[in-house]
Amino acid sequence: MKWSIAEASFSMQSDKLTFERSYPPIERKLTGFSPATLQAYLDGEFVETRNLVKSIITRPEFRHFEGPDLHEYRRQVLIWLRTISDAGLGRLFLPPELGGEANLRKLMAVVEVLSFHDGSLLIKLGVQFGLFGGSIHQLGTGYHHQKYLPKATACQLFGGFAMTEIGHGSNVQALETTAVYDSEHRDFIINSPSHSSGKTFIGNAAVDGQFMVVFAQLHIGAANHGVHAFVVPIRDETGQPLPGVTIEDNGLKLGLNGVDNGRIWFQNTRVPKAELLNRFAEVTDDGQYRSEIKSNNSRFFTMIGTLVNGRITMALAANNMAKSALTIAIRYAARRRQFGGGVQEMLVLDYPATQRRLMPLLANAYAFDFAVKRLARIREQSRGRGTSARSIESLAAAIKAFSTWTAIHTIQVCRESCGGEGYMFVNRFAALKADADIFTTFEGDNTVLMQLVAKNLLGELKDQLKEMNPGRIARFFLDQRLRALKKRFIGLTADTASLLNPEQQLAHFRFRESTLLLRSGGAFRRLTRQKDMDAYSAFSRLQPELLELAEAYAERQVLESFIEAVAHVPEQTLQPPLRKLGDLFALYHLERHKGWFLENGFMPGKRARAITSQVTRLCQEVRQDAVALVDAFGIPDQCLGAPIALG
Amino acid sequence: MKWSIAEASFSMQSDKLTFERSYPPIERKLTGFSPATLQAYLDGEFVETRNLVKSIITRPEFRHFEGPDLHEYRRQVLIWLRTISDAGLGRLFLPPELGGEANLRKLMAVVEVLSFHDGSLLIKLGVQFGLFGGSIHQLGTGYHHQKYLPKATACQLFGGFAMTEIGHGSNVQALETTAVYDSEHRDFIINSPSHSSGKTFIGNAAVDGQFMVVFAQLHIGAANHGVHAFVVPIRDETGQPLPGVTIEDNGLKLGLNGVDNGRIWFQNTRVPKAELLNRFAEVTDDGQYRSEIKSNNSRFFTMIGTLVNGRITMALAANNMAKSALTIAIRYAARRRQFGGGVQEMLVLDYPATQRRLMPLLANAYAFDFAVKRLARIREQSRGRGTSARSIESLAAAIKAFSTWTAIHTIQVCRESCGGEGYMFVNRFAALKADADIFTTFEGDNTVLMQLVAKNLLGELKDQLKEMNPGRIARFFLDQRLRALKKRFIGLTADTASLLNPEQQLAHFRFRESTLLLRSGGAFRRLTRQKDMDAYSAFSRLQPELLELAEAYAERQVLESFIEAVAHVPEQTLQPPLRKLGDLFALYHLERHKGWFLENGFMPGKRARAITSQVTRLCQEVRQDAVALVDAFGIPDQCLGAPIALG
């Protein structure tokens, strides 16, 4: 039994009836810039690749899946993935030495366009090329690359990334799965010693996957060398689980039901020694463990750190899903009228409450677009160069958490602003909400990621203090506090000009971040000097403050990206609308944090109130360009789908 | 093809494997109170009715629906509804003169328990008994009551509530459907003059409904007397649409897919004159219009006002769905360990970040429980007495909007706090999120409701000023401003005792509300004195301020209810935990608004910081009781469903 999605126009059931057949026109105002020019700036490079992906996902056979049968949905997504791969897009994920490009920014262009279409396809592609292929690429060496990557990127072999266990999702260093080296047979024996050691939520596990990159504790004799990754076959050619491998379907999920997630337990599964992904560690035939990174802990974080691309692409994908939601909500508000006298009722978009609801979220979407793309550039430039892995890890973690939380919020507000129409499946919020929901959890739980950011920031502060003696450190904190007091009212006055000065905005963001860092650092130092207080307990105690610090760091990074993007705009007509969006982003977030500035005496009440007025005014101004600003996202009608947003 | 929901315990696929079979135990601490005693206080009256409903919805055949086929889901929900009705619960909805009770608080007890089970059943029951039956009861007279209500409450006849149209969801006074009186045949001719006049999102329309209470503009000759309600048949006994009636299935929705929502258009559908629901207006045989309420506008709002019970029950239902989410999230956090050294990893509930996330939401759930029940008592007491309809309308609108927005937020945060497990369908958040989502829209869009609240508050202020001359009014506003300035720092100092004094907390809430009211009132007066500024434009211009006012009003009402509930607690052991929750509710919302207090100079920074410390401390304290506090919600295991929360 299939559901037919209601058409935008009314399908008449009696030819005696004559009805108007469509929604009112979307109000499209004259703007001082061309949406196409703006789109070109947002898209930047790889226009051909983008167009290729768009040409595929707008084909009739890529029509949004609308049936209730999830097995059919999974099959559909598999077919879509093969189509994408057959078009040569899988090859992009191959390393250059195998004829591919492995160009992060180009891959991101693919992900970005796919995010406009179907969440399950996006994630299935991410599992196959990004997690399975990517982990083999990053953690393996030539043997693994040649053996698996050409087939994986051509969808001739399906695989997954088996890290998470039932008992350990965030604390993956404590995984229970074991890989015991058997020097006699020169292989590893993989075991799941308990129920809770079962791998879970593993994409491609329930149906399609033949191989898994399995993370397990590497034991040689009595020694545990920590978590390592192994390529492990789980199914034979007929699709049956191999002996010793138990697979369970994770079943129905809140969203992403086109992806076959499953649980896996291993019982004495043997893989040849060569299947250890050995970029960072090797085991000799006779069972000697070799690694250039001596500490298990450092090695683990080095391995995990190479997987940062997943976080970058998920930040991008979440933001692009928010763009779909914004496009639907803003276009609908530009055609829907309700209440108000006059010849016609008032456009919903003309209500200040609507503007206040949607315009800051539109500014966020632009902000994250710039921030994620800058992050990808930094990541690319860092290859083999000096930029520290820790700083990229922090940046990626912060942007991923901030952008995915924002996307969830944005999609929800957009759904509500479309009222009952927003609740209809055909208008796409159902899928956007459901699919994006898990983005705050996977590729690192957001709360855990934000703590990682804070930990790294505290670590950098500690490095700064390392060479000081205790007296010097005490003086350092005192100096910083005095400097903060002197900085009161950071130089900004409440007049419009200074509130709209990007340098002044940034000064506020930086001041907040550095003040929070110094306070947390000081508090951490005081706590750890108490007896019976280890670093972990002190860190846990400070969680609320540290999460605030990480958020401040993320906001500052995003504002910097926005200001940079406005400065580098290639066409002068794009300056005014982007400046307004940038101002709105900055002042909206300052408004959110005004309580903090005020309670610490860092801002006079008059300025806080002026910020609120400016946000309201900017929302009104951005509203004038709003439809053009979402048009510039360049989302194909076929992907957008929602009848309330088309025409 | 059916999905089997994975069992809580691991179903072994190989008898060679032995695994631990369950989640770790839920940590249940000793508390100073008995959860059963607290539950008895929360439940209050009608324990027998609650137990009857619980005994039904925990039967095996009420197991949560888990298939993908939505037509089957609709059939299942229909069977459930019949079972509820057969148990005699439908009769509760009959008016006393027909042998029923129509006791709002007793009905709410039924709704409250049903909210623990399935959203679609709850809403289907609401459509059948509350909207269809309720509108006939409230807007009709003896003839309608006798003709429809016994059959409707026995599920021998299904009906719906056809108000919303494609073109008008919020501004229902501008509905397009017409009912033209034909004095020759003494009947009304119902017509849908356009596509946009089609009724939409109408529960029971797509499949089950035989009759609809249709809202339409009543025309007699050239005169339009405004919107009235008519009972209109839409299907014959075989289930086919009647001639002239066009029905379209609304199709797949984000949630509530067990309810058959549809669209309806009418073409020359005739109903006898007696089918006008004529409590507030009558048409004589010869076409004379009679109503004791002379203005179309007043009559419309009187009619709409009688339907306030729907808002009250939806506020309650949303809060109870939030209770399910909190029960799952808090119990899981009390068994899940992650990170941290020691013999075992640390309980997730012991992290300050978890406490900060979940405990204020637990306080909210208690707060809304008390607030909605107080609202129901006020509503019951007002029957035929002096309490103004407007004040109950405001209160119901405010509590509905505030509680449904809070529920949406609560369910989302609870889902995220359960990580990947929270994303599994079996753990219930999928259904809770999807079903509760529309609560912010139906029974009045929350943003529109909050404006109604603000409008009523401004109206009350205007009544207060009515007898003053302009000079006196100007002085009034000046006096109030001076009084506000004098009230600076409202008398509270930053010491703990005063922050935890309920009267002091309430003073803050009241001060915020009255200050916002006076400011909005003053601004509205200034705006409307400008030329070319009508009241509607002025009101729209002030939307952001008015929404803030309405929120402050809602918060104050809820805090009052909480303080009242703590004061009337029958068992002294319940005082401490409820006092803590009440303090947390008060201080958490003061913390949210600290920016406002600070920027206006109404609070010193020191107090704002003290509030933040108190919130963190209260979260820690409430955490000690948290599992017992959710146990006291009394949600049956079979309803809760989620394996991560059972045992």
Side-chain angles (χ1 to χ4, degrees):
Chain A
M1 186 145 330
K2 281 200 59 167
W3 281 82
S4 68
I5 295 297
E7 295 295 317
S9 59
F10 174 59
S11 60
M12 279 200 296
Q13 299 187 17
S14 157
D15 56 7
K16 290 180 203 153
L17 302 167
T18 51
F19 293 136
E20 295 158 34
R21 279 159 167 278
S22 58
Y23 291 96
I26 295 168
E27 182 208 73
R28 282 198 158 79
K29 297 198 173 216
L30 267 183
T31 49
F33 65 97
S34 138
T37 310
L38 180 53
Q39 186 189 335
Y41 181 50
L42 290 179
D43 284 352
E45 46 197 355
F46 312 120
V47 174
E48 273 179 39
T49 307
R50 286 173 195 275
N51 287 340
L52 173 59
V53 180
K54 283 188 187 177
S55 76
I56 296 170
I57 61 177
T58 53
R59 292 179 195 163
E61 66 266 30
F62 273 75
R63 189 158 181 252
H64 287 299
F65 184 81
E66 57 194 50
D69 185 325
L70 305 178
H71 294 282
E72 197 188 312
Y73 188 16
R74 289 174 173 183
R75 277 194 297 273
Q76 177 65 75
V77 170
L78 183 65
I79 293 167
W80 284 340
L81 179 59
R82 285 189 190 281
T83 310
I84 299 276
S85 164
D86 289 348
L89 289 163
R91 276 202 304 281
L92 289 180
F93 291 80
L94 277 176
E97 62 273 23
L98 291 173
E101 304 191 36
N103 175 325
L104 177 60
R105 285 169 299 125
K106 196 163 184 175
L107 301 182
M108 283 174 57
V110 174
V111 166
E112 192 174 0
V113 178
L114 281 177
S115 312
F116 293 145
H117 181 242
D118 177 276
S120 291
L121 172 59
L122 175 78
I123 298 306
K124 183 105 175 167
L125 177 137
V127 167
Q128 173 72 6
F129 300 151
L131 289 176
F132 179 64
S135 61
I136 289 174
H137 182 199
Q138 295 290 340
L139 303 177
T141 51
Y143 163 78
H144 311 101
H145 296 174
Q146 281 163 30
K147 181 172 176 189
Y148 296 109
L149 295 182
K151 284 187 182 169
T153 54
C155 285
Q156 289 159 2
L157 174 160
F158 286 93
F161 181 85
M163 180 183 275
T164 298
E165 295 177 357
I166 293 168
H168 290 95
S170 291
N171 184 14
V172 284
Q173 211 173 353
L175 294 176
E176 292 178 72
T177 305
T178 55
V180 177
Y181 184 63
D182 175 348
S183 58
E184 187 182 337
H185 299 92
R186 292 182 192 167
D187 56 15
F188 293 101
I189 312 167
I190 314 287
N191 265 298
S192 310
S194 64
H195 173 66
S196 63
S197 70
K199 300 294 180 182
T200 190
F201 314 139
I202 311 302
N204 271 347
V207 180
D208 295 322
Q210 297 150 272
F211 290 85
M212 289 287 145
V213 172
V214 174
F215 290 81
Q217 305 286 350
L218 170 53
H219 292 270
I220 306 178
N224 178 1
H225 297 280
V227 172
H228 291 67
F230 306 82
V231 186
V232 182
I234 60 163
R235 278 196 176 81
D236 63 22
E237 284 170 11
T238 71
Q240 287 305 303
L242 291 171
V245 177
T246 304
I247 300 174
E248 204 181 67
D249 198 320
N250 272 131
L252 196 59
K253 304 188 296 289
L254 198 159
L256 296 177
N257 278 304
V259 182
D260 56 319
N261 294 84
R263 294 170 156 191
I264 315 170
W265 290 262
F266 297 97
Q267 192 192 29
N268 296 326
T269 299
R270 286 179 176 266
V271 292
K273 190 178 77 74
E275 300 305 323
L276 167 68
L277 294 177
N278 61 348
R279 176 171 165 201
F280 296 107
E282 184 54 283
V283 176
T284 62
D285 288 353
D286 60 345
Q288 301 297 313
Y289 182 81
R290 299 272 160 78
S291 174
E292 286 186 11
I293 309 170
K294 294 304 164 201
S295 131
N296 281 4
N297 199 46
S298 310
R299 193 182 320 107
F300 175 75
F301 285 107
T302 302
M303 292 199 303
I304 296 291
T306 62
L307 306 174
V308 73
N309 289 359
R311 289 183 185 152
I312 302 178
T313 47
M314 287 307 103
L316 183 78
N319 192 48
N320 266 31
M321 289 164 85
K323 286 183 193 169
S324 287
L326 284 162
T327 303
I328 298 167
I330 287 173
R331 287 196 189 156
Y332 184 54
R335 79 188 335 168
R336 175 78 173 174
R337 293 175 184 278
Q338 204 74 185
F339 292 112
V343 183
Q344 354 181 46
E345 290 173 273
M346 201 162 138
L347 268 186
V348 170
L349 194 53
D350 281 327
Y351 285 99
T354 310
Q355 294 163 8
R356 263 272 177 181
R357 258 175 138 175
L358 297 178
M359 297 305 113
L361 305 179
L362 181 58
N364 282 340
Y366 270 83
F368 284 115
D369 200 283
F370 299 134
V372 181
K373 285 168 187 169
R374 187 181 68 147
L375 167 58
R377 285 196 304 275
I378 294 174
R379 163 82 172 139
E380 288 256 301
Q381 285 156 11
S382 77
R383 294 254 164 107
R385 287 207 235 150
T387 314
S388 91
R390 189 160 73 178
S391 82
I392 289 174
E393 181 187 59
S394 290
L395 190 54
I399 303 272
K400 185 270 184 182
F402 190 21
S403 81
T404 54
W405 266 327
T406 303
I408 295 293
H409 174 66
T410 299
I411 297 168
Q412 179 64 31
V413 171
C414 288
R415 194 306 281 158
E416 291 183 27
S417 82
C418 293
E421 289 286 5
Y423 201 61
M424 297 299 111
F425 188 85
V426 71
N427 286 321
R428 294 269 294 143
F429 291 110
L432 290 168
K433 269 191 65 164
D435 291 346
D437 190 74
I438 197 62
F439 281 57
T440 60
T441 299
F442 70 14
E443 293 286 340
D445 177 274
N446 280 2
T447 303
V448 176
L449 288 181
M450 284 306 217
Q451 290 173 71
L452 175 74
V453 171
K455 190 176 145 220
N456 286 350
L457 292 172
L458 284 184
E460 283 168 23
L461 178 65
K462 199 178 160 194
D463 289 347
Q464 221 181 313
L465 303 178
K466 207 161 43 184
E467 284 155 27
M468 301 182 192
N469 62 39
R472 193 63 216 288
I473 293 175
R475 239 178 305 131
F476 170 83
F477 279 108
L478 189 64
D479 281 357
Q480 295 292 345
R481 282 185 66 180
L482 290 174
R483 203 180 298 177
L485 284 175
K486 265 195 245 158
K487 268 209 184 168
R488 282 175 74 124
F489 304 170
I490 310 157
L492 250 190
T493 56
D495 66 83
T496 308
S498 69
L499 285 175
L500 301 182
N501 177 333
E503 283 312 314
Q504 292 279 9
Q505 293 161 0
L506 199 50
H508 277 75
F509 279 55
R510 286 189 175 138
F511 175 77
R512 177 167 145 81
E513 182 193 350
S514 62
T515 305
L516 289 168
L517 175 60
L518 289 167
R519 287 185 177 182
S520 302
F524 184 75
R525 192 164 153 268
R526 280 191 300 280
L527 281 173
T528 47
R529 288 165 84 192
Q530 293 173 13
K531 64 175 182 182
D532 302 332
M533 179 68 83
D534 58 51
Y536 188 77
S537 305
F539 192 80
S540 298
R541 179 84 68 86
L542 291 173
Q543 262 189 338
E545 291 82 355
L546 292 170
L547 292 174
E548 204 176 358
L549 163 62
E551 188 195 29
Y553 164 85
E555 287 173 349
R556 189 261 301 169
Q557 289 280 0
V558 176
L559 180 60
E560 281 181 358
S561 312
F562 210 137
I563 292 171
E564 212 177 285
V566 173
H568 290 96
V569 77
E571 240 272 22
Q572 281 316 304
T573 54
L574 300 182
Q575 277 264 358
L578 290 180
R579 271 296 296 269
K580 270 179 217 160
L581 282 170
D583 289 339
L584 180 53
F585 175 83
L587 298 185
Y588 170 69
H589 289 280
L590 281 184
E591 186 188 31
R592 290 202 309 131
H593 301 305
K594 68 182 176 186
W596 181 85
F597 283 99
L598 288 158
E599 75 183 0
N600 288 295
F602 298 140
M603 186 184 276
K606 195 178 156 196
R607 187 185 305 162
R609 294 194 303 274
I611 287 172
T612 295
S613 312
Q614 282 297 320
V615 170
T616 301
R617 189 191 59 75
L618 284 163
C619 286
Q620 283 163 5
E621 291 198 8
V622 170
R623 174 264 176 271
Q624 303 304 314
D625 294 335
V627 174
L629 288 168
V630 296
D631 286 350
F633 292 148
I635 305 175
D637 281 358
Q638 295 90 331
C639 295
L640 202 60
I644 56 171
L646 300 181
Chain B
M1 187 148 326
K2 281 199 62 168
W3 282 81
S4 68
I5 295 297
E7 296 296 316
S9 60
F10 174 59
S11 61
M12 279 200 296
Q13 299 186 16
S14 156
D15 55 8
K16 290 181 202 150
L17 303 167
T18 51
F19 293 138
E20 295 158 36
R21 281 160 164 277
S22 58
Y23 292 95
I26 294 167
E27 182 208 75
R28 283 198 157 82
K29 298 197 174 218
L30 267 182
T31 48
F33 63 97
S34 138
T37 310
L38 180 53
Q39 186 188 334
Y41 181 49
L42 290 180
D43 284 352
E45 44 197 356
F46 312 121
V47 174
E48 274 179 40
T49 307
R50 286 174 196 274
N51 287 341
L52 172 59
V53 180
K54 282 188 187 177
S55 75
I56 297 170
I57 60 177
T58 52
R59 293 179 195 165
E61 66 265 30
F62 273 75
R63 190 160 180 250
H64 287 299
F65 184 82
E66 56 194 49
D69 185 324
L70 305 178
H71 294 283
E72 198 189 312
Y73 188 15
R74 288 174 174 182
R75 276 194 298 273
Q76 176 65 73
V77 170
L78 183 65
I79 292 166
W80 284 340
L81 179 59
R82 285 188 190 280
T83 309
I84 298 275
S85 163
D86 290 347
L89 289 163
R91 275 202 305 280
L92 288 181
F93 291 79
L94 277 176
E97 61 273 22
L98 292 173
E101 305 194 35
N103 175 325
L104 177 60
R105 285 169 299 125
K106 196 163 184 176
L107 301 182
M108 283 174 58
V110 174
V111 166
E112 193 174 0
V113 179
L114 280 178
S115 311
F116 293 144
H117 180 242
D118 177 276
S120 291
L121 171 59
L122 175 78
I123 298 306
K124 183 106 176 167
L125 177 137
V127 167
Q128 174 71 7
F129 300 149
L131 289 175
F132 179 63
S135 60
I136 288 175
H137 183 200
Q138 294 290 338
L139 303 177
T141 50
Y143 163 77
H144 310 101
H145 296 175
Q146 283 164 28
K147 181 173 176 187
Y148 295 109
L149 295 183
K151 285 187 183 170
T153 53
C155 285
Q156 289 159 3
L157 174 160
F158 286 93
F161 182 84
M163 179 184 274
T164 298
E165 295 178 356
I166 293 168
H168 290 94
S170 291
N171 184 14
V172 284
Q173 210 173 356
L175 293 175
E176 292 178 73
T177 304
T178 55
V180 177
Y181 184 62
D182 175 348
S183 58
E184 189 183 334
H185 299 92
R186 292 183 191 166
D187 57 14
F188 293 101
I189 312 167
I190 314 287
N191 265 296
S192 310
S194 64
H195 173 66
S196 63
S197 70
K199 298 295 179 183
T200 190
F201 314 138
I202 311 301
N204 271 347
V207 180
D208 295 322
Q210 296 150 273
F211 289 85
M212 288 287 145
V213 172
V214 174
F215 289 80
Q217 305 286 349
L218 169 55
H219 291 270
I220 306 177
N224 178 2
H225 297 280
V227 172
H228 290 68
F230 306 83
V231 185
V232 183
I234 60 164
R235 279 195 175 81
D236 64 22
E237 286 171 10
T238 72
Q240 287 306 302
L242 291 171
V245 178
T246 305
I247 300 174
E248 204 180 66
D249 198 321
N250 272 130
L252 197 59
K253 304 188 296 289
L254 198 159
L256 296 179
N257 278 304
V259 183
D260 56 318
N261 295 85
R263 294 171 156 190
I264 315 170
W265 290 262
F266 298 97
Q267 193 191 29
N268 295 326
T269 299
R270 286 178 175 265
V271 293
K273 190 177 76 75
E275 300 306 322
L276 166 68
L277 293 177
N278 60 347
R279 176 171 165 201
F280 295 107
E282 184 52 283
V283 176
T284 62
D285 287 356
D286 61 343
Q288 302 297 313
Y289 182 81
R290 299 272 161 78
S291 174
E292 285 185 13
I293 309 171
K294 294 305 164 199
S295 132
N296 282 4
N297 199 45
S298 310
R299 194 183 318 107
F300 175 75
F301 284 107
T302 302
M303 292 198 303
I304 296 291
T306 62
L307 306 174
V308 73
N309 289 0
R311 288 183 185 151
I312 302 177
T313 47
M314 288 307 103
L316 182 78
N319 192 48
N320 266 31
M321 290 164 86
K323 286 183 194 169
S324 287
L326 284 162
T327 304
I328 298 167
I330 287 173
R331 287 197 189 154
Y332 184 54
R335 77 184 342 164
R336 175 79 173 172
R337 294 175 183 276
Q338 205 73 186
F339 291 112
V343 183
Q344 357 181 42
E345 290 173 274
M346 199 162 139
L347 267 187
V348 170
L349 193 54
D350 280 327
Y351 285 99
T354 309
Q355 294 163 7
R356 262 273 177 183
R357 258 175 137 176
L358 297 178
M359 297 306 113
L361 305 179
L362 180 59
N364 282 340
Y366 270 84
F368 284 116
D369 200 283
F370 299 134
V372 181
K373 285 168 186 168
R374 187 181 70 149
L375 167 57
R377 285 195 304 273
I378 295 174
R379 163 79 172 139
E380 289 254 303
Q381 286 156 9
S382 78
R383 295 254 164 108
R385 287 207 236 151
T387 314
S388 91
R390 189 159 74 179
S391 82
I392 289 174
E393 180 186 60
S394 289
L395 190 54
I399 302 273
K400 185 269 184 183
F402 189 21
S403 80
T404 55
W405 266 327
T406 303
I408 296 292
H409 173 66
T410 299
I411 297 168
Q412 180 64 31
V413 171
C414 289
R415 195 305 282 158
E416 291 183 28
S417 82
C418 294
E421 289 286 6
Y423 200 60
M424 296 300 110
F425 188 85
V426 71
N427 285 321
R428 295 269 296 144
F429 292 109
L432 290 168
K433 268 191 67 165
D435 291 346
D437 190 74
I438 197 62
F439 281 57
T440 60
T441 299
F442 69 13
E443 293 285 341
D445 177 274
N446 280 2
T447 303
V448 176
L449 289 181
M450 283 305 216
Q451 288 173 73
L452 175 73
V453 172
K455 190 175 146 222
N456 287 350
L457 292 172
L458 284 184
E460 283 168 22
L461 178 64
K462 199 179 159 194
D463 290 348
Q464 221 181 314
L465 303 178
K466 208 161 43 184
E467 284 156 27
M468 302 182 191
N469 62 38
R472 192 63 216 288
I473 294 175
R475 240 178 306 132
F476 170 84
F477 279 107
L478 190 65
D479 281 357
Q480 296 291 344
R481 283 184 66 180
L482 290 174
R483 203 179 298 177
L485 283 176
K486 265 194 248 160
K487 270 208 183 167
R488 281 176 75 124
F489 303 170
I490 309 156
L492 251 190
T493 57
D495 66 83
T496 308
S498 68
L499 284 174
L500 300 183
N501 176 334
E503 283 311 313
Q504 292 280 9
Q505 293 161 359
L506 199 50
H508 276 76
F509 279 55
R510 286 190 175 137
F511 175 76
R512 177 167 144 82
E513 181 193 352
S514 63
T515 306
L516 288 169
L517 175 60
L518 289 167
R519 286 185 178 181
S520 301
F524 185 75
R525 191 164 154 269
R526 282 191 300 280
L527 280 174
T528 46
R529 289 164 85 191
Q530 292 174 14
K531 64 174 182 181
D532 301 333
M533 179 68 82
D534 58 51
Y536 189 77
S537 306
F539 192 80
S540 299
R541 178 84 68 86
L542 292 173
Q543 261 188 339
E545 291 83 354
L546 292 170
L547 292 174
E548 205 176 355
L549 163 62
E551 187 195 29
Y553 164 85
E555 287 172 351
R556 189 260 302 169
Q557 290 281 359
V558 176
L559 180 60
E560 281 181 357
S561 313
F562 211 136
I563 292 171
E564 213 177 285
V566 173
H568 290 95
V569 78
E571 238 273 22
Q572 281 315 305
T573 53
L574 300 181
Q575 276 263 359
L578 290 181
R579 269 297 295 270
K580 272 180 216 159
L581 282 170
D583 289 340
L584 180 54
F585 176 82
L587 297 186
Y588 170 69
H589 289 281
L590 281 184
E591 186 187 31
R592 291 203 308 131
H593 300 305
K594 67 182 176 185
W596 182 85
F597 282 100
L598 288 159
E599 75 182 1
N600 288 295
F602 298 139
M603 187 185 275
K606 195 178 156 198
R607 186 184 307 164
R609 294 194 302 275
I611 287 172
T612 295
S613 312
Q614 282 298 320
V615 171
T616 301
R617 189 191 59 76
L618 284 164
C619 286
Q620 283 163 4
E621 292 198 6
V622 171
R623 173 264 176 272
Q624 303 305 316
D625 294 334
V627 174
L629 288 169
V630 297
D631 286 350
F633 292 148
I635 305 175
D637 282 358
Q638 295 91 330
C639 295
L640 201 61
I644 56 170
L646 300 182

